[in-house]
Amino acid sequence: MFCIECFRSNLYGKFRLAVTSHAMITPTDNVLVAFSGGPSSRVALQFVHELQHKSLKNFDASRDRLLPVFRVGVAFIDETTISPLPSRDIDRAIQDIRLIVSNLAPPIKQLHVVPIENIYSGDGTNRLKNLLDAVSDTTGKEDLLLHLQMSSLQKVASESGYNKIVLGLCTSRIACHVISATVKGQGYSLPADIQYVDSRWEIPIVLPLRDCLVQELNMLCHLDGLKTVELLKGPCSGINGLVSSLVRILQEENPSRECTNVRTAGKLTPFHFNRIPESDDSIIPLATRRRQKRYNLKPNESISSESFCPICNSPLNKSDMLRLSNLGSCQTNSDSFGAACCSSCRFEILPKDPSSIDHFYSLLPQPLVARAKRSSYDNLSLLREQIQDCLLSDSEDES
């Protein structure tokens, strides 16, 4: 058992070790914290703020002031247009979020309240609603909404000049994802989602709370009086909700179950993009660069992948790549889009009726369409080379 101060110090130590070991935040960064108002994102915001505040104090105390202080912004994805909650409840929650961010000590942090329909050019409210209505599978609809949230974060980060996005995903959430992704047939891409760093996106994603349990984060919010904003959403009735209930029961029976689950999945080979590229920037402290080099993946410790699903951005496996290599025979853009998707998205999200694919494709936001075109054309020659190498390797193994 920890006393209050030791408990807080231990939790912040996990955060600090993850940040420094994987070069998640450096002095020249402009970091965007994804904030939902829940305990995980609230602690992530608080710890990033404290890290920035300490950097500012060191900067002010330094004579030469060579190391700049990284900048921090906050983003909240507003789902008013598609939420079953009354708009007044969401407006009240947004006001509470503005108050939370404004009450943080200097440096001032800009808050971006981003309507999720802004992922479209122009008025995308009706197109977004129709897109979600076009997905008949409950789990597929939940997952598509998560993918759209990520695309919205990427859009605001790119347009506002941020170079990293901080998510508050913790051990408990990752433990649920490990099981649900396995059930959905996403085992190949699972290692990409559970690492400390994910650079497959235009703006890299970092998970500084990866080693923290949600029970610890809830306790810290209670002890420190950190205000949270819980927007009550309807119960998840698909695979995601069932898995969350299962993991919660298992955790009550054995408090180490979530950690064991994540540690076991952590033995899977990650991908080459699960790291921050090494930098020789002289502004970055030498100790930070040394830690990054120590913890970064070696080429023989990771899987290379150059093609990704246009919906969920998961790396494509060998069977997906084989299908993608036959894109030359596709007649329409919607056919190309369907062929470029991973097996899980094809099963959960794409319409079962082939005649409905064109309508579904017409409702997609531009970032997803552009991602599909890059996968279909820019990487086609590379895909064929990789497939030939895979087939050659298989034939050598059989002989």
Side-chain angles (χ1 to χ4, degrees), residues 27-28 66-68 279-287 289:
T28 57
L66 291 177
L67 289 179
S279 173
D280 295 327
D281 192 340
S282 59
I283 295 181
I284 299 176
L286 180 60
R289 280 181 276 160

PDB file of all heavy atoms in Angstrom, residues 27-28 66-68 279-287 289:
ATOM      1  N   PRO A  27      11.719  19.186 -26.337  1.00  0.00           N
ATOM      2  CA  PRO A  27      11.563  20.640 -26.152  1.00  0.00           C
ATOM      3  C   PRO A  27      10.966  21.380 -27.351  1.00  0.00           C
ATOM      4  O   PRO A  27      10.337  22.427 -27.177  1.00  0.00           O
ATOM      5  CB  PRO A  27      12.989  21.109 -25.866  1.00  0.00           C
ATOM      6  CG  PRO A  27      13.657  19.923 -25.253  1.00  0.00           C
ATOM      7  CD  PRO A  27      13.076  18.740 -25.957  1.00  0.00           C
ATOM      8  N   THR A  28      11.179  20.874 -28.556  1.00  0.00           N
ATOM      9  CA  THR A  28      10.710  21.597 -29.742  1.00  0.00           C
ATOM     10  C   THR A  28       9.309  21.174 -30.187  1.00  0.00           C
ATOM     11  O   THR A  28       8.805  21.676 -31.195  1.00  0.00           O
ATOM     12  CB  THR A  28      11.685  21.364 -30.913  1.00  0.00           C
ATOM     13  OG1 THR A  28      11.808  19.956 -31.157  1.00  0.00           O
ATOM     14  CG2 THR A  28      13.048  21.940 -30.599  1.00  0.00           C
ATOM     15  N   LEU A  66      18.792  27.758 -23.508  1.00  0.00           N
ATOM     16  CA  LEU A  66      18.952  27.090 -24.805  1.00  0.00           C
ATOM     17  C   LEU A  66      17.785  26.167 -25.125  1.00  0.00           C
ATOM     18  O   LEU A  66      17.393  26.018 -26.285  1.00  0.00           O
ATOM     19  CB  LEU A  66      20.265  26.288 -24.814  1.00  0.00           C
ATOM     20  CG  LEU A  66      21.556  27.116 -24.810  1.00  0.00           C
ATOM     21  CD1 LEU A  66      22.774  26.202 -24.747  1.00  0.00           C
ATOM     22  CD2 LEU A  66      21.624  28.000 -26.045  1.00  0.00           C
ATOM     23  N   LEU A  67      17.231  25.517 -24.098  1.00  0.00           N
ATOM     24  CA  LEU A  67      16.151  24.560 -24.336  1.00  0.00           C
ATOM     25  C   LEU A  67      14.805  25.269 -24.330  1.00  0.00           C
ATOM     26  O   LEU A  67      14.405  25.850 -23.309  1.00  0.00           O
ATOM     27  CB  LEU A  67      16.162  23.474 -23.264  1.00  0.00           C
ATOM     28  CG  LEU A  67      17.301  22.461 -23.319  1.00  0.00           C
ATOM     29  CD1 LEU A  67      17.174  21.461 -22.178  1.00  0.00           C
ATOM     30  CD2 LEU A  67      17.330  21.730 -24.651  1.00  0.00           C
ATOM     31  N   PRO A  68      14.074  25.253 -25.443  1.00  0.00           N
ATOM     32  CA  PRO A  68      12.747  25.854 -25.454  1.00  0.00           C
ATOM     33  C   PRO A  68      11.761  24.994 -24.658  1.00  0.00           C
ATOM     34  O   PRO A  68      12.082  23.875 -24.259  1.00  0.00           O
ATOM     35  CB  PRO A  68      12.379  25.874 -26.951  1.00  0.00           C
ATOM     36  CG  PRO A  68      13.158  24.734 -27.528  1.00  0.00           C
ATOM     37  CD  PRO A  68      14.439  24.662 -26.755  1.00  0.00           C
ATOM     38  N   SER A 279      16.455  11.451 -33.915  1.00  0.00           N
ATOM     39  CA  SER A 279      16.801  12.797 -34.383  1.00  0.00           C
ATOM     40  C   SER A 279      18.178  13.180 -33.870  1.00  0.00           C
ATOM     41  O   SER A 279      18.563  12.830 -32.760  1.00  0.00           O
ATOM     42  CB  SER A 279      15.756  13.811 -33.899  1.00  0.00           C
ATOM     43  OG  SER A 279      16.146  15.126 -34.208  1.00  0.00           O
ATOM     44  N   ASP A 280      18.902  13.904 -34.688  1.00  0.00           N
ATOM     45  CA  ASP A 280      20.202  14.439 -34.296  1.00  0.00           C
ATOM     46  C   ASP A 280      20.113  15.916 -33.932  1.00  0.00           C
ATOM     47  O   ASP A 280      21.122  16.619 -33.869  1.00  0.00           O
ATOM     48  CB  ASP A 280      21.223  14.260 -35.435  1.00  0.00           C
ATOM     49  CG  ASP A 280      21.515  12.790 -35.708  1.00  0.00           C
ATOM     50  OD1 ASP A 280      21.491  12.000 -34.749  1.00  0.00           O
ATOM     51  OD2 ASP A 280      21.758  12.449 -36.879  1.00  0.00           O
ATOM     52  N   ASP A 281      18.866  16.381 -33.719  1.00  0.00           N
ATOM     53  CA  ASP A 281      18.650  17.801 -33.389  1.00  0.00           C
ATOM     54  C   ASP A 281      19.435  18.149 -32.121  1.00  0.00           C
ATOM     55  O   ASP A 281      19.251  17.545 -31.061  1.00  0.00           O
ATOM     56  CB  ASP A 281      17.157  18.045 -33.159  1.00  0.00           C
ATOM     57  CG  ASP A 281      16.827  19.529 -33.099  1.00  0.00           C
ATOM     58  OD1 ASP A 281      17.756  20.322 -32.847  1.00  0.00           O
ATOM     59  OD2 ASP A 281      15.655  19.877 -33.297  1.00  0.00           O
ATOM     60  N   SER A 282      20.306  19.138 -32.217  1.00  0.00           N
ATOM     61  CA  SER A 282      21.155  19.511 -31.085  1.00  0.00           C
ATOM     62  C   SER A 282      20.356  20.110 -29.937  1.00  0.00           C
ATOM     63  O   SER A 282      20.834  20.163 -28.806  1.00  0.00           O
ATOM     64  CB  SER A 282      22.229  20.514 -31.541  1.00  0.00           C
ATOM     65  OG  SER A 282      21.610  21.675 -32.080  1.00  0.00           O
ATOM     66  N   ILE A 283      19.118  20.557 -30.218  1.00  0.00           N
ATOM     67  CA  ILE A 283      18.297  21.143 -29.162  1.00  0.00           C
ATOM     68  C   ILE A 283      17.798  20.062 -28.200  1.00  0.00           C
ATOM     69  O   ILE A 283      17.589  20.311 -27.027  1.00  0.00           O
ATOM     70  CB  ILE A 283      17.106  21.926 -29.767  1.00  0.00           C
ATOM     71  CG1 ILE A 283      17.620  23.119 -30.560  1.00  0.00           C
ATOM     72  CG2 ILE A 283      16.143  22.378 -28.696  1.00  0.00           C
ATOM     73  CD1 ILE A 283      16.526  23.953 -31.180  1.00  0.00           C
ATOM     74  N   ILE A 284      17.613  18.837 -28.730  1.00  0.00           N
ATOM     75  CA  ILE A 284      17.146  17.738 -27.888  1.00  0.00           C
ATOM     76  C   ILE A 284      18.297  17.287 -26.995  1.00  0.00           C
ATOM     77  O   ILE A 284      19.389  17.017 -27.486  1.00  0.00           O
ATOM     78  CB  ILE A 284      16.650  16.560 -28.760  1.00  0.00           C
ATOM     79  CG1 ILE A 284      15.477  17.022 -29.635  1.00  0.00           C
ATOM     80  CG2 ILE A 284      16.225  15.400 -27.888  1.00  0.00           C
ATOM     81  CD1 ILE A 284      14.989  15.963 -30.588  1.00  0.00           C
ATOM     82  N   PRO A 285      18.082  17.202 -25.674  1.00  0.00           N
ATOM     83  CA  PRO A 285      19.160  16.813 -24.766  1.00  0.00           C
ATOM     84  C   PRO A 285      19.783  15.476 -25.157  1.00  0.00           C
ATOM     85  O   PRO A 285      19.101  14.567 -25.629  1.00  0.00           O
ATOM     86  CB  PRO A 285      18.455  16.728 -23.405  1.00  0.00           C
ATOM     87  CG  PRO A 285      17.253  17.601 -23.536  1.00  0.00           C
ATOM     88  CD  PRO A 285      16.832  17.503 -24.972  1.00  0.00           C
ATOM     89  N   LEU A 286      21.109  15.371 -24.939  1.00  0.00           N
ATOM     90  CA  LEU A 286      21.827  14.152 -25.289  1.00  0.00           C
ATOM     91  C   LEU A 286      21.273  12.953 -24.540  1.00  0.00           C
ATOM     92  O   LEU A 286      21.170  11.856 -25.099  1.00  0.00           O
ATOM     93  CB  LEU A 286      23.321  14.330 -24.977  1.00  0.00           C
ATOM     94  CG  LEU A 286      24.232  13.133 -25.281  1.00  0.00           C
ATOM     95  CD1 LEU A 286      24.162  12.779 -26.759  1.00  0.00           C
ATOM     96  CD2 LEU A 286      25.663  13.437 -24.862  1.00  0.00           C
ATOM     97  N   ALA A 287      20.908  13.147 -23.268  1.00  0.00           N
ATOM     98  CA  ALA A 287      20.366  12.032 -22.480  1.00  0.00           C
ATOM     99  C   ALA A 287      19.078  11.500 -23.099  1.00  0.00           C
ATOM    100  O   ALA A 287      18.844  10.285 -23.133  1.00  0.00           O
ATOM    101  CB  ALA A 287      20.110  12.479 -21.044  1.00  0.00           C
ATOM    102  N   ARG A 289      18.236  11.627 -26.305  1.00  0.00           N
ATOM    103  CA  ARG A 289      18.575  10.906 -27.530  1.00  0.00           C
ATOM    104  C   ARG A 289      19.159   9.528 -27.218  1.00  0.00           C
ATOM    105  O   ARG A 289      18.899   8.552 -27.930  1.00  0.00           O
ATOM    106  CB  ARG A 289      19.556  11.721 -28.370  1.00  0.00           C
ATOM    107  CG  ARG A 289      18.880  12.833 -29.180  1.00  0.00           C
ATOM    108  CD  ARG A 289      19.896  13.590 -30.013  1.00  0.00           C
ATOM    109  NE  ARG A 289      20.543  14.633 -29.223  1.00  0.00           N
ATOM    110  CZ  ARG A 289      21.703  15.186 -29.532  1.00  0.00           C
ATOM    111  NH1 ARG A 289      22.374  14.756 -30.580  1.00  0.00           N
ATOM    112  NH2 ARG A 289      22.221  16.136 -28.785  1.00  0.00           N
TER     113      ARG A 289
END
